[in-house]
Amino acid sequence: MTRERVIRLRRVYEAPEPGEDGVRVLVDRLWPRGLSKEAAGVDEWPKAVTPSAELRKWFHGGGSADEFRERYEAELAEPGAAAELSRLRGLADGGPLTLLTAVRDPAGSHAAILAEHLAG
């Protein structure tokens, strides 16, 4: 019997929830402003699965959400990111995995796209 992966999305500014969060993974390219490493409680920071600086700049310059998804998924298919996705799936197979981001709406962000790829 295969266990379903539990992948949570949370803001990195929210306090850790021991016993609920499992492995806490920061999925932003840049470290969150005004947050110490101790307060963040981040276990992993795999930059290979974060949106590239170029993609972030393009999106914040007015790019569409649909095209962002396409471009981000293309980045996730690159060898380094694909290997990191596989490793993170392995972590999720062992228990909860919480993807942390500084964005205000994690469910509407790149973290949700990443969660879909990890769940599959």
Side-chain angles (χ1 to χ4, degrees), residues 12-78:
V12 70
Y13 298 108
E14 297 171 346
E17 292 182 355
E20 298 291 322
D21 284 350
V23 179
R24 292 172 51 89
V25 180
L26 180 63
V27 296
D28 290 340
R29 176 73 49 161
L30 304 174
W31 187 262
R33 253 181 227 192
L35 187 65
S36 71
K37 294 192 187 226
E38 295 76 31
V42 170
D43 298 310
E44 303 262 342
W45 189 14
K47 292 182 183 176
V49 297
T50 66
S52 67
E54 296 81 12
L55 181 56
R56 285 180 29 258
K57 183 177 179 181
W58 170 83
F59 182 68
H60 292 295
S64 75
D66 288 339
E67 191 170 346
F68 174 85
R69 175 183 274 278
E70 288 178 25
R71 290 180 180 203
Y72 183 42
E73 287 178 337
E75 289 184 355
L76 291 175
E78 293 174 4

Short mmCIF file of all heavy atoms in Angstrom, two decimals, residues 12-78:
data_model
loop_
_atom_site.label_atom_id
_atom_site.label_comp_id
_atom_site.label_asym_id
_atom_site.label_seq_id
_atom_site.Cartn_x
_atom_site.Cartn_y
_atom_site.Cartn_z
N VAL A 12 6.61 31.49 5.29
CA VAL A 12 7.80 31.28 6.11
C VAL A 12 7.75 32.13 7.38
O VAL A 12 8.38 31.80 8.37
CB VAL A 12 9.09 31.53 5.29
CG1 VAL A 12 9.26 33.02 4.97
CG2 VAL A 12 10.32 30.97 5.99
N TYR A 13 6.95 33.19 7.37
CA TYR A 13 6.84 34.07 8.53
C TYR A 13 5.96 33.48 9.64
O TYR A 13 5.94 33.98 10.75
CB TYR A 13 6.30 35.44 8.12
CG TYR A 13 7.22 36.15 7.15
CD1 TYR A 13 6.88 36.29 5.82
CD2 TYR A 13 8.45 36.67 7.57
CE1 TYR A 13 7.72 36.94 4.92
CE2 TYR A 13 9.31 37.30 6.69
CZ TYR A 13 8.93 37.43 5.36
OH TYR A 13 9.77 38.05 4.48
N GLU A 14 5.21 32.42 9.33
CA GLU A 14 4.39 31.76 10.34
C GLU A 14 5.30 30.86 11.19
O GLU A 14 6.22 30.23 10.67
CB GLU A 14 3.30 30.91 9.68
CG GLU A 14 2.32 31.72 8.88
CD GLU A 14 1.38 30.87 8.04
OE1 GLU A 14 1.64 29.67 7.86
OE2 GLU A 14 0.39 31.43 7.56
N ALA A 15 4.99 30.78 12.47
CA ALA A 15 5.80 29.96 13.38
C ALA A 15 5.72 28.49 12.97
O ALA A 15 4.68 28.01 12.53
CB ALA A 15 5.30 30.13 14.81
N PRO A 16 6.84 27.77 13.11
CA PRO A 16 6.82 26.33 12.82
C PRO A 16 5.79 25.61 13.68
O PRO A 16 5.53 26.01 14.81
CB PRO A 16 8.24 25.89 13.18
CG PRO A 16 9.08 27.12 13.08
CD PRO A 16 8.17 28.25 13.50
N GLU A 17 5.24 24.56 13.12
CA GLU A 17 4.29 23.71 13.85
C GLU A 17 4.90 22.32 14.00
O GLU A 17 4.73 21.45 13.15
CB GLU A 17 2.96 23.62 13.10
CG GLU A 17 2.19 24.92 13.06
CD GLU A 17 0.84 24.80 12.36
OE1 GLU A 17 0.52 23.73 11.81
OE2 GLU A 17 0.12 25.80 12.36
N PRO A 18 5.64 22.11 15.09
CA PRO A 18 6.27 20.79 15.30
C PRO A 18 5.21 19.69 15.28
O PRO A 18 4.11 19.84 15.78
CB PRO A 18 6.89 20.92 16.69
CG PRO A 18 7.08 22.39 16.90
CD PRO A 18 5.92 23.04 16.18
N GLY A 19 5.55 18.59 14.66
CA GLY A 19 4.62 17.48 14.54
C GLY A 19 3.69 17.60 13.35
O GLY A 19 3.07 16.62 12.95
N GLU A 20 3.54 18.78 12.78
CA GLU A 20 2.66 19.01 11.63
C GLU A 20 3.46 19.29 10.37
O GLU A 20 3.13 18.82 9.29
CB GLU A 20 1.71 20.18 11.89
CG GLU A 20 0.76 19.97 13.05
CD GLU A 20 -0.28 18.90 12.76
OE1 GLU A 20 -0.77 18.82 11.62
OE2 GLU A 20 -0.58 18.14 13.69
N ASP A 21 4.50 20.11 10.50
CA ASP A 21 5.26 20.57 9.33
C ASP A 21 6.16 19.50 8.72
O ASP A 21 6.41 19.52 7.53
CB ASP A 21 6.12 21.79 9.68
CG ASP A 21 5.31 23.06 9.81
OD1 ASP A 21 4.12 23.07 9.44
OD2 ASP A 21 5.89 24.06 10.28
N GLY A 22 6.69 18.62 9.51
CA GLY A 22 7.66 17.66 8.99
C GLY A 22 8.91 18.41 8.55
O GLY A 22 9.39 19.31 9.24
N VAL A 23 9.41 18.10 7.35
CA VAL A 23 10.58 18.78 6.81
C VAL A 23 10.13 20.11 6.23
O VAL A 23 9.22 20.16 5.41
CB VAL A 23 11.28 17.92 5.73
CG1 VAL A 23 12.47 18.66 5.14
CG2 VAL A 23 11.70 16.58 6.30
N ARG A 24 10.77 21.19 6.67
CA ARG A 24 10.41 22.54 6.23
C ARG A 24 11.40 22.98 5.14
O ARG A 24 12.59 23.04 5.37
CB ARG A 24 10.44 23.50 7.41
CG ARG A 24 9.32 23.20 8.40
CD ARG A 24 9.44 24.00 9.69
NE ARG A 24 9.61 25.42 9.52
CZ ARG A 24 8.62 26.31 9.42
NH1 ARG A 24 7.37 25.91 9.47
NH2 ARG A 24 8.88 27.59 9.28
N VAL A 25 10.85 23.28 3.94
CA VAL A 25 11.67 23.57 2.76
C VAL A 25 11.35 24.97 2.25
O VAL A 25 10.23 25.25 1.83
CB VAL A 25 11.39 22.53 1.65
CG1 VAL A 25 12.25 22.82 0.43
CG2 VAL A 25 11.64 21.12 2.17
N LEU A 26 12.35 25.85 2.27
CA LEU A 26 12.19 27.19 1.70
C LEU A 26 12.28 27.08 0.18
O LEU A 26 13.24 26.53 -0.35
CB LEU A 26 13.27 28.14 2.23
CG LEU A 26 13.19 29.57 1.71
CD1 LEU A 26 11.89 30.25 2.13
CD2 LEU A 26 14.39 30.37 2.20
N VAL A 27 11.26 27.60 -0.52
CA VAL A 27 11.22 27.47 -1.98
C VAL A 27 11.29 28.83 -2.68
O VAL A 27 10.87 28.96 -3.82
CB VAL A 27 9.99 26.65 -2.45
CG1 VAL A 27 10.09 25.22 -1.94
CG2 VAL A 27 8.69 27.29 -2.02
N ASP A 28 11.85 29.81 -2.01
CA ASP A 28 12.10 31.13 -2.61
C ASP A 28 13.58 31.23 -2.95
O ASP A 28 14.43 30.69 -2.24
CB ASP A 28 11.73 32.26 -1.64
CG ASP A 28 10.24 32.39 -1.42
OD1 ASP A 28 9.46 31.89 -2.25
OD2 ASP A 28 9.85 33.00 -0.41
N ARG A 29 13.90 31.94 -4.02
CA ARG A 29 15.28 32.11 -4.43
C ARG A 29 16.06 32.98 -3.44
O ARG A 29 17.24 32.75 -3.19
CB ARG A 29 15.31 32.73 -5.83
CG ARG A 29 16.65 33.07 -6.42
CD ARG A 29 17.48 31.93 -6.88
NE ARG A 29 16.81 30.97 -7.73
CZ ARG A 29 17.43 30.11 -8.50
NH1 ARG A 29 18.74 30.10 -8.57
NH2 ARG A 29 16.76 29.24 -9.21
N LEU A 30 15.38 33.99 -2.87
CA LEU A 30 16.02 34.92 -1.94
C LEU A 30 15.56 34.64 -0.52
O LEU A 30 14.41 34.25 -0.30
CB LEU A 30 15.67 36.36 -2.32
CG LEU A 30 16.00 36.78 -3.75
CD1 LEU A 30 15.45 38.18 -4.02
CD2 LEU A 30 17.49 36.73 -4.00
N TRP A 31 16.46 34.88 0.44
CA TRP A 31 16.09 34.70 1.84
C TRP A 31 15.04 35.76 2.21
O TRP A 31 15.17 36.92 1.82
CB TRP A 31 17.32 34.83 2.75
CG TRP A 31 16.96 34.47 4.16
CD1 TRP A 31 16.65 35.32 5.17
CD2 TRP A 31 16.80 33.16 4.69
NE1 TRP A 31 16.33 34.62 6.31
CE2 TRP A 31 16.41 33.29 6.04
CE3 TRP A 31 16.96 31.87 4.15
CZ2 TRP A 31 16.17 32.19 6.85
CZ3 TRP A 31 16.73 30.78 4.97
CH2 TRP A 31 16.33 30.96 6.31
N PRO A 32 14.01 35.39 2.98
CA PRO A 32 12.94 36.33 3.34
C PRO A 32 13.46 37.49 4.19
O PRO A 32 14.24 37.30 5.11
CB PRO A 32 11.97 35.48 4.16
CG PRO A 32 12.38 34.07 3.95
CD PRO A 32 13.79 34.06 3.50
N ARG A 33 12.98 38.68 3.84
CA ARG A 33 13.38 39.89 4.54
C ARG A 33 13.00 39.87 6.01
O ARG A 33 11.89 39.49 6.37
CB ARG A 33 12.66 41.08 3.94
CG ARG A 33 13.53 41.94 3.11
CD ARG A 33 12.74 43.08 2.59
NE ARG A 33 13.10 43.14 1.19
CZ ARG A 33 12.82 44.11 0.40
NH1 ARG A 33 12.10 45.11 0.81
NH2 ARG A 33 13.23 44.10 -0.83
N GLY A 34 13.92 40.31 6.85
CA GLY A 34 13.63 40.51 8.26
C GLY A 34 13.42 39.24 9.06
O GLY A 34 12.88 39.31 10.17
N LEU A 35 13.84 38.10 8.57
CA LEU A 35 13.62 36.84 9.26
C LEU A 35 14.95 36.16 9.53
O LEU A 35 15.74 35.94 8.60
CB LEU A 35 12.73 35.92 8.40
CG LEU A 35 12.27 34.63 9.03
CD1 LEU A 35 11.35 34.92 10.23
CD2 LEU A 35 11.54 33.77 8.02
N SER A 36 15.19 35.84 10.79
CA SER A 36 16.44 35.15 11.12
C SER A 36 16.32 33.67 10.76
O SER A 36 15.21 33.13 10.67
CB SER A 36 16.73 35.27 12.62
OG SER A 36 15.82 34.48 13.36
N LYS A 37 17.44 33.04 10.56
CA LYS A 37 17.44 31.62 10.22
C LYS A 37 16.86 30.79 11.36
O LYS A 37 16.16 29.80 11.13
CB LYS A 37 18.84 31.16 9.86
CG LYS A 37 19.30 31.84 8.58
CD LYS A 37 20.55 31.25 7.99
CE LYS A 37 20.96 32.13 6.85
NZ LYS A 37 21.32 31.55 5.67
N GLU A 38 17.10 31.21 12.58
CA GLU A 38 16.57 30.48 13.73
C GLU A 38 15.04 30.56 13.76
O GLU A 38 14.36 29.57 13.98
CB GLU A 38 17.14 31.02 15.05
CG GLU A 38 18.64 30.83 15.21
CD GLU A 38 19.48 31.80 14.38
OE1 GLU A 38 19.04 32.95 14.13
OE2 GLU A 38 20.58 31.39 13.95
N ALA A 39 14.49 31.75 13.56
CA ALA A 39 13.04 31.94 13.60
C ALA A 39 12.35 31.21 12.45
O ALA A 39 11.22 30.74 12.60
CB ALA A 39 12.68 33.42 13.56
N ALA A 40 13.01 31.11 11.31
CA ALA A 40 12.41 30.48 10.13
C ALA A 40 12.25 28.98 10.30
O ALA A 40 11.30 28.39 9.79
CB ALA A 40 13.24 30.78 8.89
N GLY A 41 13.17 28.36 11.00
CA GLY A 41 13.10 26.91 11.18
C GLY A 41 13.14 26.14 9.87
O GLY A 41 12.45 25.15 9.70
N VAL A 42 13.97 26.59 8.95
CA VAL A 42 14.09 25.95 7.62
C VAL A 42 15.07 24.78 7.70
O VAL A 42 16.17 24.93 8.22
CB VAL A 42 14.56 26.99 6.58
CG1 VAL A 42 14.93 26.33 5.27
CG2 VAL A 42 13.48 28.04 6.37
N ASP A 43 14.63 23.64 7.19
CA ASP A 43 15.49 22.46 7.15
C ASP A 43 16.25 22.34 5.83
O ASP A 43 17.36 21.81 5.80
CB ASP A 43 14.65 21.18 7.34
CG ASP A 43 13.95 21.15 8.68
OD1 ASP A 43 14.61 21.37 9.71
OD2 ASP A 43 12.73 20.91 8.69
N GLU A 44 15.63 22.80 4.75
CA GLU A 44 16.22 22.67 3.40
C GLU A 44 15.98 23.96 2.63
O GLU A 44 14.95 24.62 2.83
CB GLU A 44 15.53 21.54 2.63
CG GLU A 44 15.58 20.20 3.29
CD GLU A 44 16.69 19.32 2.75
OE1 GLU A 44 17.20 19.61 1.65
OE2 GLU A 44 17.04 18.36 3.43
N TRP A 45 16.91 24.29 1.73
CA TRP A 45 16.75 25.45 0.85
C TRP A 45 17.29 25.08 -0.53
O TRP A 45 18.37 25.51 -0.93
CB TRP A 45 17.46 26.66 1.43
CG TRP A 45 17.19 27.95 0.73
CD1 TRP A 45 16.21 28.23 -0.18
CD2 TRP A 45 17.92 29.16 0.89
NE1 TRP A 45 16.29 29.54 -0.59
CE2 TRP A 45 17.34 30.14 0.06
CE3 TRP A 45 19.01 29.52 1.66
CZ2 TRP A 45 17.81 31.43 -0.03
CZ3 TRP A 45 19.50 30.82 1.58
CH2 TRP A 45 18.89 31.77 0.75
N PRO A 46 16.56 24.26 -1.27
CA PRO A 46 17.04 23.78 -2.57
C PRO A 46 16.78 24.80 -3.69
O PRO A 46 15.72 24.80 -4.32
CB PRO A 46 16.23 22.50 -2.78
CG PRO A 46 14.94 22.78 -2.07
CD PRO A 46 15.29 23.65 -0.90
N LYS A 47 17.74 25.63 -3.96
CA LYS A 47 17.55 26.70 -4.94
C LYS A 47 17.31 26.18 -6.36
O LYS A 47 16.75 26.89 -7.18
CB LYS A 47 18.75 27.64 -4.91
CG LYS A 47 18.82 28.42 -3.61
CD LYS A 47 19.97 29.39 -3.61
CE LYS A 47 20.05 30.09 -2.27
NZ LYS A 47 21.20 30.98 -2.18
N ALA A 48 17.67 24.92 -6.62
CA ALA A 48 17.47 24.37 -7.97
C ALA A 48 15.99 24.28 -8.34
O ALA A 48 15.65 24.23 -9.52
CB ALA A 48 18.11 22.98 -8.07
N VAL A 49 15.08 24.26 -7.35
CA VAL A 49 13.65 24.16 -7.66
C VAL A 49 12.92 25.49 -7.47
O VAL A 49 11.70 25.55 -7.58
CB VAL A 49 12.95 23.04 -6.83
CG1 VAL A 49 13.52 21.68 -7.19
CG2 VAL A 49 13.02 23.32 -5.35
N THR A 50 13.66 26.54 -7.21
CA THR A 50 13.05 27.86 -7.08
C THR A 50 13.03 28.53 -8.46
O THR A 50 13.88 28.23 -9.30
CB THR A 50 13.81 28.75 -6.08
OG1 THR A 50 15.11 29.04 -6.59
CG2 THR A 50 13.92 28.08 -4.72
N PRO A 51 12.07 29.42 -8.71
CA PRO A 51 12.08 30.13 -9.99
C PRO A 51 13.38 30.92 -10.16
O PRO A 51 13.87 31.54 -9.21
CB PRO A 51 10.88 31.07 -9.88
CG PRO A 51 10.00 30.46 -8.85
CD PRO A 51 10.93 29.80 -7.87
N SER A 52 13.93 30.88 -11.35
CA SER A 52 15.17 31.60 -11.63
C SER A 52 14.99 33.10 -11.45
O SER A 52 13.87 33.62 -11.50
CB SER A 52 15.64 31.31 -13.05
OG SER A 52 14.73 31.87 -13.98
N ALA A 53 16.10 33.79 -11.27
CA ALA A 53 16.07 35.25 -11.15
C ALA A 53 15.46 35.86 -12.41
O ALA A 53 14.68 36.82 -12.33
CB ALA A 53 17.47 35.78 -10.90
N GLU A 54 15.80 35.31 -13.57
CA GLU A 54 15.27 35.84 -14.83
C GLU A 54 13.74 35.67 -14.90
O GLU A 54 13.04 36.58 -15.33
CB GLU A 54 15.92 35.13 -16.03
CG GLU A 54 17.41 35.36 -16.15
CD GLU A 54 18.26 34.47 -15.23
OE1 GLU A 54 17.73 33.49 -14.63
OE2 GLU A 54 19.44 34.78 -15.06
N LEU A 55 13.25 34.51 -14.48
CA LEU A 55 11.82 34.26 -14.51
C LEU A 55 11.09 35.18 -13.53
O LEU A 55 10.05 35.75 -13.85
CB LEU A 55 11.52 32.80 -14.21
CG LEU A 55 10.04 32.39 -14.22
CD1 LEU A 55 9.38 32.74 -15.55
CD2 LEU A 55 9.91 30.90 -13.92
N ARG A 56 11.63 35.33 -12.34
CA ARG A 56 11.03 36.23 -11.35
C ARG A 56 10.96 37.65 -11.88
O ARG A 56 9.94 38.32 -11.79
CB ARG A 56 11.82 36.20 -10.04
CG ARG A 56 11.61 34.96 -9.22
CD ARG A 56 12.39 34.95 -7.90
NE ARG A 56 12.66 36.25 -7.34
CZ ARG A 56 13.82 36.90 -7.40
NH1 ARG A 56 14.86 36.35 -8.00
NH2 ARG A 56 13.97 38.07 -6.84
N LYS A 57 12.06 38.12 -12.48
CA LYS A 57 12.11 39.48 -13.01
C LYS A 57 11.08 39.65 -14.14
O LYS A 57 10.37 40.65 -14.19
CB LYS A 57 13.52 39.80 -13.51
CG LYS A 57 13.69 41.20 -14.00
CD LYS A 57 15.12 41.48 -14.41
CE LYS A 57 15.26 42.88 -14.91
NZ LYS A 57 16.61 43.20 -15.34
N TRP A 58 11.00 38.67 -15.03
CA TRP A 58 10.04 38.73 -16.12
C TRP A 58 8.61 38.80 -15.57
O TRP A 58 7.81 39.63 -16.00
CB TRP A 58 10.20 37.50 -17.02
CG TRP A 58 9.10 37.36 -18.01
CD1 TRP A 58 8.99 37.98 -19.22
CD2 TRP A 58 7.91 36.58 -17.87
NE1 TRP A 58 7.82 37.64 -19.84
CE2 TRP A 58 7.13 36.78 -19.03
CE3 TRP A 58 7.42 35.74 -16.88
CZ2 TRP A 58 5.90 36.15 -19.22
CZ3 TRP A 58 6.20 35.12 -17.07
CH2 TRP A 58 5.46 35.34 -18.23
N PHE A 59 8.27 37.95 -14.60
CA PHE A 59 6.92 37.91 -14.06
C PHE A 59 6.56 39.21 -13.36
O PHE A 59 5.48 39.76 -13.57
CB PHE A 59 6.76 36.73 -13.11
CG PHE A 59 5.37 36.61 -12.56
CD1 PHE A 59 4.30 36.27 -13.39
CD2 PHE A 59 5.11 36.85 -11.23
CE1 PHE A 59 3.02 36.17 -12.90
CE2 PHE A 59 3.83 36.75 -10.72
CZ PHE A 59 2.78 36.41 -11.56
N HIS A 60 7.47 39.72 -12.55
CA HIS A 60 7.19 40.96 -11.82
C HIS A 60 7.19 42.18 -12.74
O HIS A 60 6.69 43.24 -12.37
CB HIS A 60 8.16 41.14 -10.65
CG HIS A 60 7.95 40.12 -9.58
ND1 HIS A 60 6.80 40.05 -8.84
CD2 HIS A 60 8.72 39.10 -9.15
CE1 HIS A 60 6.87 39.04 -8.00
NE2 HIS A 60 8.03 38.44 -8.17
N GLY A 61 7.68 42.00 -13.96
CA GLY A 61 7.63 43.06 -14.96
C GLY A 61 6.33 43.06 -15.76
O GLY A 61 6.17 43.83 -16.68
N GLY A 62 5.42 42.17 -15.40
CA GLY A 62 4.12 42.16 -16.07
C GLY A 62 3.78 40.88 -16.80
O GLY A 62 2.80 40.83 -17.55
N GLY A 63 4.56 39.81 -16.59
CA GLY A 63 4.27 38.54 -17.25
C GLY A 63 2.97 37.92 -16.74
O GLY A 63 2.53 38.19 -15.63
N SER A 64 2.37 37.10 -17.57
CA SER A 64 1.09 36.47 -17.20
C SER A 64 1.31 35.23 -16.34
O SER A 64 2.34 34.56 -16.43
CB SER A 64 0.31 36.07 -18.45
OG SER A 64 0.88 34.92 -19.05
N ALA A 65 0.32 34.91 -15.52
CA ALA A 65 0.40 33.75 -14.63
C ALA A 65 0.47 32.45 -15.43
O ALA A 65 1.22 31.54 -15.06
CB ALA A 65 -0.79 33.73 -13.68
N ASP A 66 -0.27 32.36 -16.52
CA ASP A 66 -0.26 31.14 -17.32
C ASP A 66 1.11 30.90 -17.95
O ASP A 66 1.62 29.79 -17.94
CB ASP A 66 -1.33 31.20 -18.41
CG ASP A 66 -2.74 31.06 -17.86
OD1 ASP A 66 -2.91 30.55 -16.73
OD2 ASP A 66 -3.68 31.48 -18.55
N GLU A 67 1.69 31.97 -18.48
CA GLU A 67 3.02 31.81 -19.09
C GLU A 67 4.08 31.58 -18.02
O GLU A 67 5.04 30.83 -18.24
CB GLU A 67 3.38 33.02 -19.96
CG GLU A 67 4.63 32.73 -20.78
CD GLU A 67 4.92 33.77 -21.85
OE1 GLU A 67 4.04 34.59 -22.16
OE2 GLU A 67 6.05 33.75 -22.36
N PHE A 68 3.91 32.20 -16.84
CA PHE A 68 4.84 31.93 -15.74
C PHE A 68 4.84 30.43 -15.44
O PHE A 68 5.89 29.83 -15.30
CB PHE A 68 4.45 32.71 -14.47
CG PHE A 68 5.29 32.33 -13.29
CD1 PHE A 68 6.51 32.93 -13.08
CD2 PHE A 68 4.87 31.34 -12.40
CE1 PHE A 68 7.31 32.56 -12.00
CE2 PHE A 68 5.65 30.97 -11.33
CZ PHE A 68 6.87 31.59 -11.12
N ARG A 69 3.65 29.84 -15.35
CA ARG A 69 3.55 28.40 -15.06
C ARG A 69 4.31 27.59 -16.10
O ARG A 69 5.08 26.70 -15.75
CB ARG A 69 2.09 27.96 -15.02
CG ARG A 69 1.93 26.45 -14.85
CD ARG A 69 0.47 26.00 -14.89
NE ARG A 69 -0.16 26.08 -13.61
CZ ARG A 69 -0.06 25.14 -12.66
NH1 ARG A 69 0.64 24.05 -12.88
NH2 ARG A 69 -0.68 25.28 -11.52
N GLU A 70 4.10 27.90 -17.38
CA GLU A 70 4.78 27.17 -18.46
C GLU A 70 6.30 27.29 -18.33
O GLU A 70 7.02 26.29 -18.44
CB GLU A 70 4.35 27.70 -19.82
CG GLU A 70 2.94 27.32 -20.22
CD GLU A 70 2.54 27.93 -21.55
OE1 GLU A 70 3.43 28.22 -22.39
OE2 GLU A 70 1.33 28.12 -21.76
N ARG A 71 6.77 28.51 -18.10
CA ARG A 71 8.21 28.73 -18.00
C ARG A 71 8.79 28.07 -16.75
O ARG A 71 9.89 27.50 -16.79
CB ARG A 71 8.52 30.23 -17.99
CG ARG A 71 8.26 30.91 -19.32
CD ARG A 71 8.59 32.38 -19.25
NE ARG A 71 8.34 33.06 -20.50
CZ ARG A 71 8.95 34.20 -20.84
NH1 ARG A 71 9.79 34.78 -20.03
NH2 ARG A 71 8.67 34.75 -22.00
N TYR A 72 8.07 28.14 -15.64
CA TYR A 72 8.55 27.53 -14.40
C TYR A 72 8.58 26.00 -14.54
O TYR A 72 9.55 25.35 -14.13
CB TYR A 72 7.67 27.97 -13.23
CG TYR A 72 8.11 27.44 -11.89
CD1 TYR A 72 9.45 27.42 -11.50
CD2 TYR A 72 7.17 26.97 -10.97
CE1 TYR A 72 9.84 26.94 -10.26
CE2 TYR A 72 7.55 26.49 -9.72
CZ TYR A 72 8.89 26.49 -9.38
OH TYR A 72 9.27 26.01 -8.14
N GLU A 73 7.56 25.44 -15.15
CA GLU A 73 7.55 23.99 -15.35
C GLU A 73 8.70 23.56 -16.27
O GLU A 73 9.28 22.49 -16.07
CB GLU A 73 6.20 23.53 -15.89
CG GLU A 73 5.13 23.59 -14.81
CD GLU A 73 3.75 23.19 -15.28
OE1 GLU A 73 3.46 23.27 -16.50
OE2 GLU A 73 2.95 22.81 -14.40
N ALA A 74 9.05 24.38 -17.23
CA ALA A 74 10.21 24.08 -18.08
C ALA A 74 11.49 24.10 -17.24
O ALA A 74 12.37 23.24 -17.43
CB ALA A 74 10.30 25.07 -19.23
N GLU A 75 11.60 25.05 -16.33
CA GLU A 75 12.77 25.08 -15.44
C GLU A 75 12.82 23.84 -14.55
O GLU A 75 13.88 23.28 -14.31
CB GLU A 75 12.77 26.35 -14.58
CG GLU A 75 13.07 27.60 -15.35
CD GLU A 75 13.17 28.85 -14.49
OE1 GLU A 75 12.91 28.79 -13.25
OE2 GLU A 75 13.51 29.90 -15.04
N LEU A 76 11.65 23.41 -14.06
CA LEU A 76 11.61 22.22 -13.20
C LEU A 76 11.98 20.94 -13.94
O LEU A 76 12.38 19.96 -13.32
CB LEU A 76 10.22 22.08 -12.56
CG LEU A 76 9.84 23.13 -11.52
CD1 LEU A 76 8.39 22.93 -11.09
CD2 LEU A 76 10.78 23.09 -10.33
N ALA A 77 11.86 20.95 -15.27
CA ALA A 77 12.21 19.78 -16.08
C ALA A 77 13.72 19.70 -16.36
O ALA A 77 14.20 18.66 -16.82
CB ALA A 77 11.44 19.80 -17.39
N GLU A 78 14.46 20.76 -16.09
CA GLU A 78 15.90 20.76 -16.32
C GLU A 78 16.56 19.75 -15.37
O GLU A 78 16.07 19.51 -14.27
CB GLU A 78 16.48 22.16 -16.13
CG GLU A 78 15.98 23.13 -17.19
CD GLU A 78 16.42 24.58 -16.96
OE1 GLU A 78 17.18 24.84 -16.01
OE2 GLU A 78 15.96 25.43 -17.72
#
